[in-house]
Amino acid sequence: RPRYCILADLDREGEQVMRLTKTLYTFFLFTACLNSVSAQVTYQRIANSADEPNNWLTYNGSYMSQRHSLLDQIDKTNIDDLELKWVLQNQVFGAWQSNPIVVDGIMYITERPNSVMAVDALTGRVFWKFEHTPDERARVCCGANNRGVAILNDKLYMGTLDARLIALDRVNGKLLWNAEVGDVGLAYSVTMAPLAVKDKILVGVGGGELGIRGYVAAYDANTGREVWKTFTIPGPGELNHDSWEGDDWKHGGAPVWITGSYDVSQNLTFWGVGNPGPDWNAGQRPGDNLYSDSVIALDADTGKLEWYFQFTPNDGYDYDAVQVPVLADIEWNGSSKKVMMWANRNGYFYVLDRVSGECLLGKAYVRVNWSSGLDENCRPIPTPQPEGMPTYPGNQGATNWYPPSYSPRTGLFYFSAWEDYATIYFSEEQEYEPGRAFLGGGFSVLAPAPDAPTIGIGRTNPINNWTDEVGHASLKAMNPNTGEEVWEFEQFDVSDSGMLTTASDLLITGGREGYFHVLDARNGALLYYRNLGGQIVMAPVTFMTNGKQYISIISGNSLFTYGLKD
């Protein structure tokens, strides 16, 4: 047998040869294969994930969150030989925003609301499934989404919609421990894939539209004991507490609901922080409202805040900064620089010094009118629009949470942008009520004429049944040294898809129309496409099993896996 057990071959003979029930046969086969080929996923393996590009060990592929793979078997010369290998149907109706991880031929992926599956990455066969039923009091802003798991040693970790952190045995899916992260009765939740660092599991909390006080917390990977907690809104006596007035800080939002990044050399972990609350009434909470709409750098051992940078002070537009912090070491003014690249929801592209938090570059990448520009410290210069006039970009932002990619080969940063999209806001005073939406107003989307339909596909928010419609999308390739667009790939509809780049200079992504796209990462030329029939939201991943490279991407309610023809 090759290094990886060929499950498909054994399956054809299994019941005759082993004379076991199919359930027992599958479990024994999975356990034997896993134990024979898969070492524990240690912290050192994750830190050195570039040494094993056959795997996809974290939510964003590595601690640097570049979503760049060193695999190059699939390239421009053979892309036409790409074909569908298997499809895994989601067993739960609704948007599937999960990102799989792949370890030595086994794929681990979550389903709504809080299930984990172990899947044969070669065939799509499900080995086991763990289901957690959230507390009936669980309340989330924008869908019952779970975006994935973390792995460390012999355990898997999942956050839940009722604000728990769960540890599972990776071989059999058995529950090992279940720890409380937040008070489900006060609308705390966890929708992100956790981040495993050293001997700790890090998670942040959702609930920014529901009056929470956000934080990032670390838990002992073996026991589930809380090790540290860092609030994203400073309390009395803490630095920058005066950026809030009165008791506004108690229910000021600032959630953390997308997985952060980690710099091994600095032992710093970086997290994007969401909007302040109430969302659309900035006048009700005077001040900068730190650390909402910011990136925060925390010591991974203690949770101590080392630095922060705020993108949108006193945000009244829901421009939460829960984008992925993409880390890279690049040439900057003639010398090597440790940077963080960030296409923000507010319409500006930033490059930060990730050692100090200094803003090196800030530049608009779509139409922006809420600000007339950035000052010398990259602080926006506000230009609020008169009531009834459109604000660009609109409420969903110029981009959002879907993961970008950076290719060290091309030196370009890739992300989805929403173009020509505006919103008309209104604000109103609102008192906080536990567990209830805390919005302070609302919005309508700019249409070409009164009562005319807007272009795009609407999405309804379960809190107050608003629907947002949008203009069109473009995939942008940015030069981080200049903030200039190098090329763009336009799409008819907006895109919620993330990005993946490879060592063969491929850029792999998708769109709301259901198209799976493979582009030339250097010039944006379309090399390959297939319509998979459902909206593509999460980013693709790539991995290698049995000496062959595969690409997995979720479209609608199905996960499709492609590889080269045999």
Side-chain angles (χ1 to χ4, degrees):
R1 290 294 177 191
R3 175 175 178 271
Y4 180 80
C5 299
I6 304 298
L7 303 181
D9 291 346
L10 288 176
D11 184 47
R12 285 193 287 270
E13 308 174 72
E15 289 183 310
Q16 295 179 4
V17 174
M18 301 183 75
R19 299 194 182 283
L20 295 169
T21 66
K22 194 167 186 178
T23 300
L24 286 173
Y25 161 61
T26 301
F27 172 74
F28 290 140
L29 179 60
F30 170 65
T31 304
C33 289
L34 184 63
N35 288 339
S36 66
V37 303
S38 180
Q40 288 203 3
V41 184
T42 63
Y43 162 68
Q44 287 73 25
R45 279 188 73 182
I46 302 173
N48 298 303
S49 58
D51 295 340
E52 44 179 299
N54 53 299
N55 290 322
W56 192 270
L57 297 180
T58 73
Y59 176 80
N60 284 312
S62 72
Y63 282 141
M64 302 283 274
S65 298
Q66 294 180 0
R67 298 194 75 91
H68 178 77
S69 171
L70 296 181
L71 296 180
D72 60 3
Q73 187 180 90
I74 300 173
D75 60 26
K76 300 169 191 175
T77 68
N78 58 25
I79 192 67
D80 288 337
D81 293 329
L82 207 61
E83 66 176 8
L84 181 64
K85 296 297 184 180
W86 55 264
V87 180
L88 176 66
Q89 300 288 344
N90 190 353
Q91 300 176 50
V92 181
F93 182 78
W96 200 4
Q97 296 182 359
S98 182
N99 182 93
I101 62 172
V102 182
V103 184
D104 300 331
I106 307 298
M107 176 182 288
Y108 302 97
I109 188 166
T110 58
E111 289 184 316
R112 292 162 59 109
N114 285 126
S115 298
V116 184
M117 292 185 293
V119 178
D120 177 7
L122 187 65
T123 67
R125 180 175 186 166
V126 177
F127 292 117
W128 57 254
K129 180 175 179 178
F130 170 85
E131 297 183 50
H132 169 78
T133 301
D135 188 302
E136 63 182 10
R137 295 173 296 166
R139 183 161 171 74
V140 292
C141 159
C142 308
N145 299 309
N146 181 285
R147 297 186 174 90
V149 296
I151 190 168
L152 185 64
N153 297 321
D154 55 358
K155 298 180 181 66
L156 296 171
Y157 302 89
M158 174 180 65
T160 72
L161 296 183
D162 52 352
R164 316 288 302 185
L165 179 62
I166 287 174
L168 305 175
D169 185 306
R170 63 175 285 214
V171 174
N172 56 30
K174 179 182 178 181
L175 178 66
L176 299 176
W177 53 256
N178 181 337
E180 182 181 276
V181 175
D183 186 342
V184 64
L186 296 177
Y188 284 84
S189 62
V190 179
T191 61
M192 67 164 61
L195 183 68
V197 176
K198 297 183 178 179
D199 58 351
K200 300 177 183 65
I201 307 301
L202 281 58
V203 293
V205 292
E209 277 69 45
L210 295 151
I212 68 160
R213 181 191 177 198
Y215 52 84
V216 179
Y219 296 84
D220 184 284
N222 289 318
T223 66
R225 176 183 61 87
E226 182 183 296
V227 179
W228 56 256
K229 178 188 288 186
T230 301
F231 284 95
T232 53
I233 300 177
E238 297 179 328
L239 181 67
N240 292 313
H241 175 67
D242 59 359
S243 66
W244 297 83
E245 186 175 282
D247 289 337
D248 293 343
W249 64 278
K250 291 183 178 180
H251 309 294
V256 182
W257 49 271
I258 287 294
T259 309
S261 306
Y262 175 61
D263 187 331
V264 175
S265 63
Q266 295 188 86
N267 195 37
L268 289 182
T269 181
F270 306 97
W271 301 84
V273 183
N275 58 278
D279 290 40
W280 299 303
N281 191 346
Q284 186 174 327
R285 41 173 170 77
D288 283 353
N289 305 147
L290 291 168
Y291 300 100
S292 69
D293 290 0
S294 301
V295 55
I296 54 176
L298 307 179
D299 183 289
D301 294 333
T302 65
K304 178 185 176 184
L305 178 68
E306 297 294 337
W307 61 259
Y308 72 92
F309 178 83
Q310 188 174 43
F311 301 99
T312 313
N314 192 229
D315 174 21
Y317 311 104
D318 196 16
Y319 289 157
D320 53 351
V322 286
Q323 293 77 58
V324 175
V326 179
L327 314 183
D329 299 338
I330 68 172
E331 189 82 4
W332 189 270
N333 294 333
S335 61
S336 179
K337 177 77 77 173
K338 294 180 180 294
V339 304
M340 175 187 296
M341 292 167 282
W342 201 295
N344 195 269
R345 188 166 167 173
N346 68 10
Y348 288 98
F349 172 73
Y350 300 83
V351 179
L352 305 180
D353 183 322
R354 72 174 189 268
V355 176
S356 66
E358 175 191 3
C359 182
L360 304 174
L361 181 148
K363 193 167 186 177
Y365 61 88
V366 295
R367 180 177 176 182
V368 173
N369 72 353
W370 69 272
S371 161
S372 62
L374 304 176
D375 67 16
E376 65 276 11
N377 296 314
C378 293
R379 184 183 175 92
I381 304 167
T383 52
Q385 301 305 299
E387 186 173 348
M389 296 298 292
T391 298
Y392 289 85
N395 185 73
Q396 287 296 307
T399 190
N400 212 295
W401 61 268
Y402 16 92
S405 177
Y406 170 75
S407 169
R409 288 178 51 84
T410 66
L412 299 179
F413 179 85
Y414 307 91
F415 65 101
S416 293
W418 292 19
E419 306 269 8
D420 302 321
Y421 165 50
T423 290
I424 298 172
Y425 292 93
F426 68 90
S427 62
E428 60 187 14
E429 288 289 318
Q430 183 176 353
E431 291 187 11
Y432 168 75
E433 297 179 53
R436 300 292 299 275
F438 190 46
L439 302 175
F443 66 87
S444 60
V445 177
L446 180 66
D451 300 320
T454 49
I455 300 171
I457 301 173
R459 292 187 297 180
T460 301
N461 187 299
I463 288 180
N464 63 0
N465 294 320
W466 74 63
T467 299
D468 52 18
E469 307 271 0
V470 295
H472 70 281
S474 67
L475 188 166
K476 293 184 180 291
M478 303 285 287
N479 181 341
N481 291 95
T482 64
E484 295 291 336
E485 179 183 297
V486 177
W487 57 260
E488 73 173 359
F489 178 78
E490 291 195 359
Q491 302 184 60
F492 167 73
D493 198 356
V494 300
S495 177
D496 301 319
S497 176
M499 307 289 147
L500 167 68
T501 55
T502 72
S504 53
D505 291 340
L506 299 182
L507 172 61
I508 305 165
T509 186
R512 273 194 182 179
E513 309 100 310
Y515 281 102
F516 162 44
H517 291 130
V518 182
L519 309 177
D520 187 315
R522 294 193 176 273
N523 57 31
L526 180 61
L527 303 175
Y528 179 93
Y529 68 95
R530 291 290 184 274
N531 194 303
L532 304 182
Q535 178 180 355
I536 295 172
V537 176
M538 179 49 76
V541 302
T542 188
F543 57 92
M544 181 171 281
T545 291
N546 229 31
K548 295 184 180 181
Q549 183 183 355
Y550 297 89
I551 299 166
S552 287
I553 187 168
I554 291 174
S555 171
N557 288 313
S558 301
L559 185 150
F560 296 80
T561 296
Y562 280 78
L564 296 174
K565 294 178 182 177
D566 295 328

